Amino acid sequence: MGELLRSQDMELVQLFIEMEAAPDSVDELGRLGLMQFRDLNPDVNAFQRNFVHEVKRADEMERKLRFFEEQTKKAGIPTVERDIDIHTLNRNSGAAMDELEVQLEELERELVQLNTSQETLERNENELIEMQHVLTKNAMYLGGASSGAEGADVENAMLRSPLLGGGADAGVDGKGGDAARSSGFVTGVLLRDKLNTFTRVLWRALRGNLFLKHAEIDELIKDPNSGELVEKSVFIIFYKGRNSGNKITKLCEAFGANLYPCPDSAAQTEELGVQVRQRLADLRTVLERSTVHRQQRLRTISENLELWKCQVLREKSIYHTMNLFDYDVGRKCLIAEGWCPRESTEQVQLALRAAYERSGAEIPSIAQPKASTLTMPTYFKTNKYTEVFQDIIDAYGIARYTEINPTVFSIITFPFLFGVMFGDVGHGSLLLLMSLAFIFFEKQLQRGKMFEMLEICFNGRYMLLLMSLFSIYNGFLYNECFAIPMQLFSSNWQYETMEKGALAVRNSEHYAYPFGVDPIWKGAENELDFYNSLKMKMSVLLGVIQMCLGIILSLFNGVHFRKPYNIIFEFIPQILFMGLIFGYMDFLIIYKWLKDWSVGPYPPTADHQVPRLLNVMIQMFLSPWTVPEEYELFPGQVYIQLAIILVAVVCVPMMLFPKPYLLKWEHEKKMRAQQPANYMPVDGSNVMGDEEADEDDEHGEEFDFSEVFTHQAIHTIEFVLGCVSNTASYLRLWALSLAHSELATVFWEMTIGFILDSKIANGFTLFIAWGAWAGATVGILLGMESLSAFLHALRLHWVEFQNKFYAGDGHKFAPFSYKRIFSGEDETINAME
Amino acid sequence: MSVGSMLSFNTNDGYLDGIVRGYRSGILTAADYANLIQCDTLDDLKLHLQSTDYGDFLANEPSPLATTTIHDKCTEKLVKEFMHLRDQAVEPLGKFLDYMTYGYMIDNILLLITGTLHERDITELVEKCHPLGMFESMPTLTVAKTASELYNSVIVDTPLAPFFQDCLSEEDFSEMEIEIIRNTLYKAYLEDFHRFCVEELGGTTAEVMGEVLEFEADRRTITITQNSFETELSKDDRAKLYPSFGKLFPEGTRSIGQTSTVAELRKIMDSYGEFSEIFTDMDEELKKLENAFDMHSIKLNRLSFEQCFHYGVFYSYVKLKEQEIRNIVWIAECIAQDQKSKINNFVPIWP
């Protein structure tokens, strides 16, 4: 806990590393993961940095690896999953990296070559397949055209007649290329979805002087460019005139149609078909062989892919980090600066030594602490239990360096406030089961990928555990299990008759229900009145306690940062204001609870009223000098109330005025003292210690009084008003818990309760009702209600609690660590800033 | 419906408006350019562009990079963004965005016709076409020999058909003919777009787009005139090409129609405030005039982001981004050809 209360002491360390030892040193530090490097050349462009060449090389290698990955994926080869632990994997020397680069280069070239040859082969294959289709389909048209009775077919036959007599060369090319011929036909294959446009355009371009037939190819044909399977159609166009022929050829070209010459006699077609089949068979054997070869290559690649990726990414991250360093040309060494936790400087030294020995550099690297005025990063050591709580606080704002960390308190208060709003033994138990399942199967679940919403719950499993425990605890306090009271002990009350409107009588004067609320209240006519009063008062009590804790924490901050003004003129008036006004209210609540009001007659008569606390408080502010009889709770109340009001009123100017004036005075004093100092050697300013330097940062050289004063005024107003509104804000505890219990009651009464009361209660109807009830309970209460209770607890912590003391303007410690880079947490390397 | 109304604009177009304004913040700043011009190699350029909104768009390109790859990839990114907007758009924004693509269609058609005239390979030509101006039957253009043939076989199917009515001739294409077709088409296109923005959309869109399109119209008028000096184009034919709206229309346009030398042109321009500025620091050189026009057009497009609840931002974003791509390519070319002295001759988008 001590570690979590304040962030780790950090130190700015300056490293002098010889050039040769630098990559290894960075590597060692990356494994250690405890050093956050500062950018020492913020003004230098990304491409003008010292090691940009190495980073680019790694980029290029990454590109090749991505290419391989894509290729293996396309070929359907599963990537070989390998558990690579970068911490144990030795870093290759520079030469090995060069080797890897050459290897990748060669592999890429080979793969590209294989791809092109494969593509050519596939294209040939496709052409042959298409041709085969053209031949078979067109054989039908050309052979069986005359058998058709349609007019088109007559035209078809007419067109064909000159062609048939045209000569022996007609079989080689059906196009009207020969000037002597004035008509002919074209056959080819086209993408099916282009066919419509194609037909329309052809019609228009040739003014309808053509005849087009098409048939779908049943199988899908692979497109050699994209490798996808596409639908295609065979078409045949008969036309007249040479010009038309040229136009058609041009259009076909424009539409990307493949033309295949088709002989016009059946015998020739047959012959060509046999040829095509023969060639296709040959081609397929070749293609198969080349595919096998390629698969083999890819398989060897995929085995090493993971390893290479790790190595390249590591290399890239190392040089990317080295780009942050300052290069001292004269001494041939790199100067790095970075923060590390003070207690880990020893480890950093060891890592540097190890790197020095490994790299065989001549001069050992030096690490020395450096004084600076820079704000240190905030670093909390968390474990898997505290991590999620810290994350919730970080989501609001990272703690200022070494200020009090609210996480320590949130670990208990957060689940507790959740429990207050979600108090139900039954619902709590269900949550408990879920969190226990998460924790029990932690190892298995961590490995696999999860559904996003579930993953969020899984990450918060320890918080869920505490939340469910507290909601069970509060459930016992409210005495509710799925909104049904539990009769754990005997009740102190008893109904005289079972009729509606009957009064309950007390069994014993000296018995009280031992734990939680007496179950008799459930279903009583004044149930709500009772629960409201109880929960409302409880919320205010909890709220004031938590806010007072917040104010007291500001005292610790004041002491830690040595700011006496913050203690005297902020903490003291604040705690007085809060403690007196709202503390007094709490006192009244408890006083009223403890006093036995039942001695009088029931119902109370006019002269024997129980004072309403709200009215007492209002009366106290409206006329503090008198307390009417009906508002008197205890003797001497008027003096105490008067004193409270007076002190509270004095507190407000105490908060507002002294601090800015004192700061101004102090600043002027300092300026006067510094004036002669200007004539002293420049060294003078460097002597200042860390603490003073921090102080310097805080107030700045230029002191703007009006700004400071306005700030203080806002702060004061916010606090005074905040006291009222924040206390009221805690009433959400009451509201949420009321809503929760009412919803649960309604769900019960509308489903199972309704069936049980009605005449149709049997196994089947109960089964249906149970389903509805369970669905509503899980979906609405456990799902939505718990989320809403969670959010309200979150708000109470972020706003009502933390605004009393938490600055939250620090920046998080982000060390250079392989663990973070390889888990994808650190994105700077991939994004190159 | 007036799209300028504050009350209803966000119902349909708020999401896209937000997106396009987000895209706008990704436009390179002066600091980015300052860094880019310091690059020594194209790899440096790529490295710097990685730190901007372009991200890793070049990550999968093997070194050494070619400037054409940079250009293609940049355009691809812009087209992707535009198509996203188009896919999400609700009418009448959808139509507005379609109007924007018509300009590219005209360019593509003319590119293909010119290409065929010089007997270039079609697939090569199609690759050169702007992806925003692609349409289905585009490759068919190559078949057409005359304008009316072109119209009947291809254009009839496209939204450009109405623009074509003024240039249906039976003559075979020639260089001159193509230029006339281009300008006639553009004239019809600009007029229609202007009418659409001003009359159908109205509101702030009319205000902003009116300004931008009027400048485009004036710019065309001046450029046509200047290019026509010492050519066969008669003054009457030339006058037919001038868009019939804009700041210069009608008196300015009429007097420009009478000029036949640059000096005369400049004299007329002197009486039009914004143009006289553009003309004063211009030599006879055409390049400089183009630059000055670009500068002014960028200024107008930049200004359109100052207003809310209108469609002009979509137009302006694409125009600004196009200029940015031209700038990047210019810088890349200067680096690739080692012409560092000229590297500053790009048109910065943010002053």
Side-chain angles (χ1 to χ4, degrees), chain B residues 46-102:
Chain B
K46 167 177 161 184
L47 204 62
H48 183 79
L49 285 177
Q50 263 176 13
S51 65
T52 67
D53 260 25
Y54 281 101
D56 53 1
F57 76 123
L58 287 171
N60 281 340
E61 295 303 322
S63 302
L65 282 171
T67 46
T68 44
T69 330
I70 298 181
H71 175 260
D72 291 347
K73 286 281 165 184
C74 289
T75 317
E76 194 184 302
K77 187 166 178 290
L78 174 63
V79 169
K80 227 164 109 189
E81 288 169 352
F82 182 84
M83 289 327 282
H84 178 71
L85 295 173
R86 179 65 192 92
D87 291 345
Q88 308 277 336
V90 178
E91 294 304 323
L93 177 59
K95 199 168 174 200
F96 180 86
L97 294 178
D98 281 343
Y99 260 108
M100 283 169 61
T101 60
Y102 297 165

Side-chain angles (χ1 to χ4, degrees), chain A residues 554-568:
Chain A
S554 79
L555 168 70
F556 293 150
N557 272 341
V559 172
H560 180 78
F561 291 118
R562 302 207 185 117
K563 292 197 174 150
Y565 301 150
N566 284 9
I567 299 173
I568 302 168

Side-chain angles (χ1 to χ4, degrees), chain B residues 243-272:
Chain B
S244 62
F245 69 101
K247 292 249 155 46
L248 296 176
F249 187 79
E251 316 84 32
T253 315
R254 199 180 313 125
S255 37
I256 285 175
Q258 303 307 314
T259 55
S260 49
T261 61
V262 177
E264 280 176 40
L265 184 64
R266 187 180 293 179
K267 213 169 173 185
I268 296 167
M269 285 297 101
D270 278 345
S271 52
Y272 291 88

Side-chain angles (χ1 to χ4, degrees), chain A residues 141 144 333 367 419 427 433 718 735 772 826:
Chain A
Y141 288 125
C333 76
H427 300 146
L433 283 181
E718 194 185 274
D826 191 341

Side-chain angles (χ1 to χ4, degrees), chain A residues 415-520:
Chain A
F416 178 70
L417 288 189
F418 173 84
V420 170
M421 290 181 272
F422 202 72
D424 191 299
V425 177
H427 300 146
S429 305
L430 290 178
L431 280 189
L432 182 65
L433 283 181
M434 184 165 135
S435 61
L436 285 180
F438 277 146
I439 291 166
F440 192 72
F441 297 110
E442 190 175 76
K443 289 244 164 67
Q444 285 101 306
L445 286 168
Q446 232 152 11
R447 222 169 296 140
K449 259 258 177 254
M450 264 182 286
F451 172 58
E452 201 185 341
M453 286 293 284
L454 199 68
E455 198 173 350
I456 296 172
C457 296
F458 175 73
N459 290 338
R461 58 197 178 277
Y462 289 104
M463 180 179 247
L464 206 61
L465 175 73
L466 277 189
M467 292 193 322
S468 60
L469 287 178
F470 276 111
S471 89
I472 293 173
Y473 168 74
N474 276 292
F476 276 116
L477 281 184
Y478 301 154
N479 208 343
E480 281 183 343
C481 177
F482 297 115
I484 303 161
M486 299 166 290
Q487 184 105 25
L488 296 176
F489 308 98
S490 61
S491 171
N492 194 20
W493 300 81
Q494 210 170 359
Y495 284 111
E496 287 174 313
T497 59
M498 288 312 283
E499 282 161 31
K500 219 179 167 199
L503 284 180
V505 278
R506 187 130 67 139
N507 286 336
S508 153
E509 291 274 316
H510 304 289
Y511 177 77
Y513 195 75
F515 186 80
V517 174
D518 195 322
I520 196 90

Side-chain angles (χ1 to χ4, degrees), chain A residues 25 666 672 696:
Chain A
S25 305
E666 197 172 67
R672 270 198 301 279
D696 230 33

